[in-house]
Amino acid sequence: QSIVHSMVEYIDGSVLAQLGVADMGVPILYALTYPERRPTPAARLDLARRVKEVFLGTPGVVDVDWMVEDPQPKQVLAVDREKAALHGVAPAQVAQTLRLALAGAGAGRLHGSGEAEPVEIRLQLPRAERSSVADLGGLRLASRSGALVPLGELARVEETTAPVTLHRKNLQPVIYVTADVAGAAESPVYAILDMAGSLDAVQLYRQQPGADAVPAVKWDGEWHITYEVFRDLGIAFGLVMILIYFLIIGWFKSFTVPVVMMIAIPLALVGVLPAHWLFGAFFTATSMIGFIALAGIMVRNSVLLIDFVNLARSQGLPLDEAVLQAGAVRFRPILLTAGTVVVGAVVILFDPIFQGLAISLMSGAVASTVLTLVVVPLVHFMMERR
């Protein structure tokens, strides 16, 4: 045990995991993970205690705990080498006898006729005879002369404190304060915003703390996962917009027409955000996925309109009449497209995980379709007229 605790001082979390020691660097240990760094252990403990009090005083934050162990008493049997030598008992014999009495040892296997598997024979003292130091002091060891010497005459009891577990992350000492979120505030982001104003330490949301000479608090756990998900989805949405833009350029041979067609994408937010408020739902990662999926659907509606305008103008119709006919003729296919999206999303509307996806698809399709039939032809008319 002393060797393992000395290793905790100098080895990072990855090596500790290989040694069988718990690695506390799990990203979703609880909904809120609060590792805190200070120069001295006493200062770290003081700040962790204040953080725990803030957690306990914040509504919606439950199951508050911290990874700080109370001092545990420990009794050590120290061998008196002089007495052991006088009695003719080796110190290793004392340690072996104690290990046999407390932990036991395998003495062989019993192959019974009625047993499918061999039964291991384990030699160990009964629990009642090894539950106290006084009971262990009555154990007798055979000396070199053959005399039996009580263990209590060869060893003395020393009262000490067991070493506590030391947690580290990125080779820096940390103390974890953990909690979960329940009630109306289903996302840890809202709880973090409520608690951030009550803490005077430096708070980090994305980057990891550097040198531990500066007091720093790192919000981790589910919040970090949420940040990474929305960051990656935002990057994916940007790439989708760029690809759609270049695809439309390749078809219409214009740099301004794709901009007009893609106006329908932000118009979807007019329906998505109020719909989440109306249903009392949070804008989750599945909501973002639904909004990204709407991008292709709404651009497709714009393509139907502007393609018809270009086709009508090639047949000799003026711009204003071509725009009006595009809205009238393409109204039915655009409405059917939005209707299929709405009907298909009803199935997952009341699912606790994919509800945000359904709300985004349904509300965004309806709002964007209505606005697309008005805004896109109008903007296209204004740009072409100039």
Side-chain angles (χ1 to χ4, degrees):
Q1 186 179 15
S2 61
I3 295 176
V4 172
H5 281 287
S6 64
M7 286 181 175
V8 175
E9 292 287 344
Y10 304 106
I11 304 180
D12 63 355
S14 61
V15 180
L16 289 180
Q18 297 175 8
L19 293 174
V21 181
D23 182 5
M24 306 316 296
V26 183
I28 47 174
L29 186 63
Y30 282 93
L32 299 177
T33 307
Y34 205 110
E36 159 295 310
R37 303 161 188 256
R38 294 290 283 230
T40 62
R44 286 197 303 269
L45 184 61
D46 179 66
L47 182 54
R49 185 177 291 106
R50 288 191 286 122
V51 170
K52 184 180 179 182
E53 293 175 356
V54 172
F55 275 31
L56 291 172
T58 303
V61 179
V62 298
D63 298 336
V64 179
D65 197 2
W66 64 346
M67 297 184 181
V68 177
E69 301 174 0
D70 293 332
Q72 300 293 328
K74 180 181 179 180
Q75 294 178 329
V76 179
L77 288 175
V79 179
D80 191 331
R81 296 181 176 273
E82 294 183 1
K83 290 185 177 180
L86 292 174
H87 288 84
V89 178
Q93 185 180 353
V94 177
Q96 183 179 4
T97 303
L98 284 175
R99 186 181 300 109
L100 179 63
L102 296 175
R109 292 188 176 184
L110 175 64
H111 298 272
S113 58
E115 299 290 339
E117 299 290 339
V119 179
E120 183 180 0
I121 302 174
R122 190 167 188 82
L123 182 62
Q124 187 178 18
L125 282 178
R127 184 177 298 273
E129 299 181 13
R130 53 183 170 91
S131 299
S132 65
V133 178
D135 294 334
L136 296 176
L139 294 177
R140 296 181 178 274
L141 291 80
S143 64
R144 295 179 182 176
S145 62
L148 297 178
V149 182
L151 178 62
E153 296 184 7
L154 304 177
R156 61 181 182 274
V157 180
E158 296 180 355
E159 299 290 341
T160 182
T161 303
V164 298
T165 303
L166 303 178
H167 302 293
R168 291 180 181 269
K169 187 173 183 180
N170 299 332
L171 298 179
Q172 299 291 340
V174 297
I175 295 179
Y176 291 97
V177 181
T178 62
D180 206 343
V181 180
E186 130 183 336
S187 175
V189 177
Y190 305 101
I192 290 176
L193 294 177
D194 292 339
M195 293 184 291
S198 302
L199 298 172
D200 55 357
V202 177
Q203 301 179 42
L204 304 176
Y205 296 90
R206 295 178 299 172
Q207 68 273 19
Q208 296 290 334
D212 59 348
V214 179
V217 172
K218 174 65 174 70
W219 292 101
D220 211 325
E222 188 176 329
W223 145 253
H224 193 75
I225 299 297
T226 303
Y227 161 73
E228 290 183 342
V229 168
F230 277 93
R231 180 199 61 191
D232 296 342
L233 288 177
I235 296 174
F237 181 67
L239 294 176
V240 167
M241 298 283 285
I242 295 173
L243 290 175
I244 292 176
Y245 181 78
F246 281 104
L247 284 175
I248 300 176
I249 288 177
W251 180 258
F252 287 92
K253 305 297 188 297
S254 172
F255 290 98
T256 57
V257 171
V259 178
V260 177
M261 293 182 177
M262 296 173 69
I263 292 178
I265 297 176
L267 293 179
L269 290 175
V270 178
V272 171
L273 298 181
H276 279 79
W277 172 80
L278 183 63
F279 279 88
F282 292 99
F283 191 86
T284 61
T286 57
S287 303
M288 187 68 176
I289 294 174
F291 178 67
I292 296 175
L294 281 174
I297 299 174
M298 296 303 103
V299 171
R300 181 244 186 205
N301 295 338
S302 300
V303 170
L304 289 176
L305 291 172
I306 296 180
D307 183 65
F308 186 89
V309 171
N310 295 338
L311 181 62
R313 293 185 66 187
S314 65
Q315 296 176 356
L317 290 179
L319 177 62
D320 53 353
E321 187 175 349
V323 170
L324 292 176
Q325 286 194 12
V329 175
R330 297 299 191 187
F331 175 76
R332 179 176 296 178
I334 292 176
L335 186 63
L336 289 176
T337 300
T340 54
V341 172
V342 172
V343 173
V346 171
V347 181
I348 58 175
L349 179 59
F350 300 100
D351 186 87
I353 298 178
F354 297 102
Q355 184 184 37
L357 175 63
I359 294 175
S360 294
L361 289 175
M362 296 173 65
S363 60
V366 172
S368 183
T369 298
V370 174
L371 295 175
T372 299
L373 291 171
V374 178
V375 176
V376 172
L378 180 60
V379 174
H380 182 66
F381 172 78
M382 296 172 62
M383 295 185 64
E384 291 296 321
R385 186 179 59 176
R386 293 183 179 180

